[in-house]
Amino acid sequence: EVQLVESGGGLVQPGRSMKLSCAASGFTFSNYGMAWVRQAPTKGLEWVATISYDGSSTYYRDSVKGRFTISRDNAKSTLYLQMNSLRSEDTATYYCTRVRGARPHYFDYWGQGVMVTVSS
Amino acid sequence: DIVMTQTPSSQAVSAGEKVTMSCKSSQSLLYNENKKNYLAWYQQKPGQSPKLLIYWASTRESGVPDRFIGSGSGTDFTLTISSVQAEDLAVYYCQQYYNFPRTFGGGTKLELK
């Protein structure tokens, strides 16, 4: 059974940093691209970043480019999101997702999500 | 960026009813080389994570009931639920994966009439 378990969220002040982790199990982690998708309270879904299966390619939405870094450790089957210079508009539930497809494409499994609140 | 527009934003339905919802993209999601539409649909029930329902616009994910039907091509897409069940009450999102940034529609919320 595919499982994605996020951790590392909480309350953080504007301008500070936070690192999210996602522990994956139930599949060969190194064969799949991975991504982070967020959802602000009572809002819709917003793609944040994607990383290829081997970590060689990364993609970011413009609003987080230069502030967030997606990375992975295939030996530990773990995905990360380092978030720097956090802003109030980054407040959201962050979902770790597995991405299916070579390019990669759509999100076929989602974690339960971790809440990040940016506030003073 | 490709803008995804979903209508209606909410819809009140009764059990057993046929439901259709629309998703329109600001540019074509049809890739000419493989004739595939780069569009997925997700279901998010209250308090839960989203779940993949449909990909390539019309391919049902394994385990998804066959009452969920995806159709359309180019810029116009539809998700149909042939006979709504109580457990289908949720928000439905479309998403394009034709290019980056990946973008979602604003969602269609199905509510009980």
Side-chain angles (χ1 to χ4, degrees):
Chain A
E1 178 195 5
V2 172
Q3 286 200 325
L4 301 170
V5 179
E6 301 95 338
S7 60
L11 175 65
V12 62
Q13 292 180 327
R16 303 298 290 264
S17 298
M18 176 175 277
K19 187 171 186 176
L20 304 182
S21 299
C22 170
S25 60
F27 65 102
T28 303
F29 183 72
S30 58
N31 286 352
Y32 288 86
M34 298 292 294
W36 291 95
V37 176
R38 67 186 179 185
Q39 186 170 35
T42 72
K43 300 296 185 185
L45 301 171
E46 183 175 80
W47 168 78
V48 175
T50 294
I51 187 167
S52 60
Y53 70 99
D54 60 355
S56 62
S57 297
T58 56
Y59 310 85
Y60 300 91
R61 68 178 302 103
D62 282 350
S63 62
V64 308
K65 216 172 280 185
R67 299 189 300 123
F68 289 13
T69 302
I70 188 171
S71 62
R72 62 191 298 158
D73 185 335
N74 283 348
K76 294 182 178 179
S77 295
T78 303
L79 176 73
Y80 303 100
L81 185 67
Q82 175 68 47
M83 304 183 292
N84 299 332
S85 303
L86 281 160
R87 306 168 180 166
S88 57
E89 54 264 37
D90 297 318
T91 294
T93 295
Y94 284 72
Y95 294 102
C96 167
T97 72
R98 192 180 81 168
V99 190
R100 189 184 299 170
R103 202 171 158 242
H105 297 316
Y106 46 87
F107 314 110
D108 64 351
Y109 285 93
W110 298 61
Q112 84 286 353
V114 63
M115 184 68 198
V116 173
T117 302
V118 184
S119 175
S120 54
Chain B
D1 296 5
I2 297 177
V3 176
M4 307 298 291
T5 302
Q6 288 187 247
T7 55
S9 56
S10 65
Q11 190 170 2
V13 300
S14 302
E17 196 176 320
K18 178 181 176 181
V19 169
T20 61
M21 60 191 79
S22 170
C23 172
K24 294 185 188 295
S25 58
S26 60
Q27 68 182 72
S28 178
L29 304 183
L30 177 63
Y31 191 47
N32 285 327
E33 287 196 14
N34 58 13
K35 302 301 181 190
K36 289 187 173 184
N37 286 282
Y38 284 52
L39 181 103
W41 288 94
Y42 302 87
Q43 175 194 63
Q44 186 176 31
K45 295 181 179 180
Q48 295 186 17
S49 307
K51 171 189 171 185
L52 175 66
L53 293 178
I54 303 277
Y55 54 95
W56 299 127
S58 60
T59 302
R60 208 175 294 115
E61 174 70 339
S62 175
V64 173
D66 58 9
R67 64 180 180 272
F68 291 92
I69 302 161
S71 61
S73 184
T75 61
D76 293 328
F77 301 91
T78 300
L79 178 66
T80 300
I81 308 175
S82 59
S83 177
V84 168
Q85 306 300 303
E87 62 262 31
D88 300 337
L89 299 180
V91 180
Y92 294 84
Y93 295 95
C94 60
Q95 176 240 331
Q96 65 81 17
Y97 47 98
Y98 188 88
N99 62 16
F100 287 99
R102 303 300 193 228
T103 47
F104 292 86
T108 291
K109 184 176 184 180
L110 286 191
E111 300 171 303
L112 263 181
K113 194 177 287 184

